[in-house]
Amino acid sequence: MTMSDTINTVVTPDNVHEVLKDDVTVKVAIVDIDGILRGKLMHKEKFLGAVNSGYGFTAGLFGIDMQDSYYTVPVEFSGKDYPFFDLIAKVDLSSYRRIPWEEDTPFFFAQLIHSQTNEPLYCCPRTFLQSAVDTCEQDLQATAHCGVEFEFICFKESAESLDEKGYANRKPITVGHHCYSLIRPTKNQEFCYNAFKWLHKFRVDVESWHTELGPGVFEAAIKYADAKEAGDRCTLFKTSMKQIAMHHGIMASFMAKPYQEFPGCSGHIHMSLMDKQGKNMFYPFDPSDASTVHPQMSKTFVHFLAGVLHGLPSIMAILAPTVNSYKRYIPNFWAPISVSWGVENRAAGARVIVPPTTSPNSTRFELRVPGADINPHLAIGAVLKCGLWGIKSAQELPVSALEEGGKHGQPLARSLQESVVAMDAESSVARQVLGNTFVDHFVKTRKHEWNTWQNAVTDYELKRYMELI
């Protein structure tokens, strides 16, 4: 099967045997709560037998953290009396692609069904995003489109080398600053060009790739797509970059703030809505639809953006999901620290992009708050759900545009603990929009993350206190 055939193939239960006729193995994966792929390599015959019925997948993976430790805050899927039954993993044939750096092994996503209730698993990230996509299509007859720009840092390291030196003295693949350099990528040309080509073959197209501020820092813009596909592409991009980097003796990290002295790594989300005719609902093609806020923003756009901004403080735990995430939010250091928006304003939490900077059909906003450490399915889903709530409830913008004399609104949380409190509040927008069942589970996983940090003794403490106190 040629690359072109693979990219364009639509897999169905009727043709899946033919598509896989020359294969022996198939790779399948689910997405966990931290956005990490968890999966296995299956014999083709076992996979084909599971296409219609699904296969067992342990629920225990939603009772452990990214380091496979049980949550210190009790969740449904862990505990001394938990039976660790299987969930049902249902193969998503539409997610078919082949992994170029793994001998073109076929790959599929699966989504999880709770085997005891026969309902989609409420904390499965792909299910979470799918529910937002379904609401958009059913309530607005519209499709959400999305793209994410990821910054990440590449080191001349491996997991073993970093472990041996206690994660200190990390060696980046390039030194110093040089944004948009045409010289630095040449030093690592094989890595950069193989990544571009292999990702294209893997149906995870990158629109652009360039060096960013800091040693070994790159930024990649994932090609705009419908929200469901964007979630898949962005999650696959992060794992793929790690694997491709390893093939070239490099470690790629999406940690939000690896260096105290440099800006952190962002995960900016661009989003728009398209109607059934493919027309952008954020642009007022009909002058009567123009908002009073800005002549090139539709009323729908204003309500959507208002929903996102009102919901922002209570979904920060999703947009900044780790303890380290909050080290990015430093004044005048390229990460927004408040509920704010502006037209072509990169100091704002949400940057509105309208003509003449772009075409009417590419009108959109860029949410500049998220870090590169997001779980893409959850982050895209949460932003979309808040925006749809904003339309449904006709929300108004909480602050005016920065460049029009507007002031910064509510400060954003400066710690994971603060963001968890905001999400967990009984009256939070997150509870209204994301649902209590999901919020209760997710809050517990983040409380665990904070507890783990609270118990850690850091190098900072040793250097500051050991001799002098």
Side-chain angles (χ1 to χ4, degrees):
M1 182 172 287
T2 67
M3 182 189 77
S4 177
D5 290 338
T6 300
I7 291 174
N8 295 315
T9 297
V10 176
V11 179
T12 68
D14 294 330
N15 71 358
V16 64
H17 288 76
E18 178 64 21
V19 170
L20 302 180
K21 66 179 181 179
D22 297 322
D23 297 294
V24 176
T25 56
V26 179
K27 183 167 280 191
V28 291
I30 60 96
V31 184
D32 77 7
I33 203 71
D34 289 294
I36 298 169
L37 294 183
R38 305 274 192 163
K40 62 175 73 174
L41 198 63
M42 298 175 69
H43 191 283
K44 178 180 67 176
E45 296 306 319
K46 178 176 176 63
F47 172 82
L48 291 173
V51 164
N52 293 318
S53 61
Y55 62 94
F57 198 96
T58 176
L61 280 177
F62 283 85
I64 57 177
D65 67 12
M66 65 180 72
Q67 295 284 356
D68 290 358
S69 297
Y70 289 120
Y71 288 123
T72 51
V73 180
V75 299
E76 178 185 352
F77 305 104
S78 65
K80 62 183 180 65
D81 297 321
Y82 186 66
F84 296 102
F85 60 86
D86 270 354
L87 304 168
I88 300 171
K90 298 288 289 187
V91 177
D92 181 356
L93 294 179
S94 70
S95 66
Y96 165 70
R97 49 219 341 125
R98 288 179 179 269
I99 311 173
W101 55 94
E102 293 186 13
E103 301 179 345
D104 286 331
T105 298
F107 172 91
F108 294 87
F109 273 114
Q111 281 176 237
L112 296 171
I113 305 294
H114 200 301
S115 56
Q116 296 184 350
T117 65
N118 205 33
E119 295 289 334
L121 185 67
Y122 60 86
C123 54
C124 171
R126 291 188 88 236
T127 295
F128 179 84
L129 176 54
Q130 184 67 60
S131 68
V133 168
D134 291 344
T135 299
C136 187
E137 292 177 347
Q138 292 163 10
D139 292 358
L140 293 182
Q141 301 297 299
T143 303
H145 285 254
C146 182
V148 179
E149 298 168 332
F150 284 109
E151 294 171 339
F152 56 100
I153 302 182
C154 293
F155 300 97
K156 292 180 180 177
E157 302 285 359
S158 66
E160 292 76 18
S161 69
L162 285 176
D163 184 63
E164 287 172 3
K165 54 187 181 182
Y167 289 81
N169 302 314
R170 305 173 300 276
K171 189 174 182 180
I173 63 173
T174 58
V175 296
H177 299 287
H178 196 172
C179 289
Y180 296 89
S181 174
L182 296 184
I183 299 172
R184 300 257 167 116
T186 308
K187 184 179 180 182
N188 300 283
Q189 183 171 312
E190 185 179 7
F191 164 57
C192 293
Y193 281 85
N194 277 346
F196 234 99
K197 290 185 291 187
W198 286 348
L199 287 166
H200 171 64
K201 292 180 180 179
F202 194 44
R203 285 179 46 213
V204 182
D205 277 305
V206 173
E207 288 185 346
S208 63
W209 166 305
H210 62 85
T211 59
E212 254 294 347
L213 188 64
V217 183
F218 292 94
E219 180 177 306
I222 312 306
K223 190 175 180 180
Y224 221 58
D226 67 84
K228 178 188 174 185
E229 179 64 16
D232 286 352
R233 288 182 184 180
C234 292
T235 296
L236 289 172
F237 172 76
K238 293 176 72 172
T239 298
S240 298
M241 282 311 308
K242 290 178 179 293
Q243 293 177 332
I244 293 169
M246 282 194 294
H247 274 275
H248 295 84
I250 294 169
M251 171 180 278
S253 174
F254 291 82
M255 186 175 171
K257 185 79 168 176
Y259 292 106
Q260 181 174 332
E261 63 271 29
F262 297 117
C265 294
S266 64
H268 298 163
I269 298 174
H270 292 246
M271 190 172 288
S272 59
L273 297 181
M274 299 292 179
D275 65 18
K276 292 297 184 182
Q277 287 71 47
K279 189 177 291 185
N280 193 331
M281 296 173 67
F282 284 177
Y283 185 81
F285 288 98
D286 182 342
S288 66
D289 188 38
S291 71
T292 58
V293 173
H294 190 283
Q296 291 179 304
M297 294 175 67
S298 70
K299 296 170 185 175
T300 296
F301 191 176
V302 170
H303 292 319
F304 190 100
L305 181 60
V308 173
L309 293 178
H310 280 292
L312 190 55
S314 71
I315 63 169
M316 276 296 292
I318 292 176
L319 304 180
T322 72
V323 169
N324 178 256
S325 303
Y326 297 83
K327 306 297 173 70
R328 281 182 62 238
Y329 302 119
I330 300 172
N332 304 314
F333 223 4
W334 295 105
I337 59 172
S338 69
V339 174
S340 54
W341 73 280
V343 178
E344 280 299 349
N345 193 327
R346 284 183 166 85
R351 167 184 165 231
V352 169
I353 305 169
V354 295
T357 305
T358 192
S359 68
N361 226 38
S362 295
T363 297
R364 64 194 186 278
F365 73 95
E366 173 194 24
L367 190 64
R368 297 179 57 79
V369 174
D373 53 354
I374 54 170
N375 175 333
H377 287 92
L378 295 185
I380 294 170
V383 172
L384 178 54
K385 284 171 181 275
C386 285
L388 296 175
W389 166 77
I391 294 173
K392 185 176 181 180
S393 57
Q395 293 293 313
E396 297 297 334
L397 291 165
V399 290
S400 55
L402 290 180
E403 67 277 2
E404 295 177 358
K407 299 183 182 300
H408 288 274
Q410 179 180 341
L412 297 175
R414 281 303 317 276
S415 73
L416 183 59
Q417 184 184 41
E418 286 182 45
S419 68
V420 165
V421 170
M423 175 178 263
D424 199 23
E426 187 175 342
S427 60
S428 74
V429 174
R431 287 199 173 276
Q432 294 181 57
V433 174
L434 311 184
N436 287 324
T437 306
F438 173 82
V439 167
D440 287 342
H441 178 84
F442 189 75
V443 160
K444 289 174 181 177
T445 70
R446 295 313 97 183
K447 284 182 177 178
H448 163 81
E449 199 72 19
W450 181 257
N451 289 346
T452 303
W453 162 249
Q454 288 288 85
N455 295 333
V457 178
T458 66
D459 288 348
Y460 170 86
E461 295 163 278
L462 297 175
K463 292 173 183 177
R464 188 169 182 86
Y465 304 127
M466 183 170 280
E467 178 193 0
L468 300 177
I469 294 297

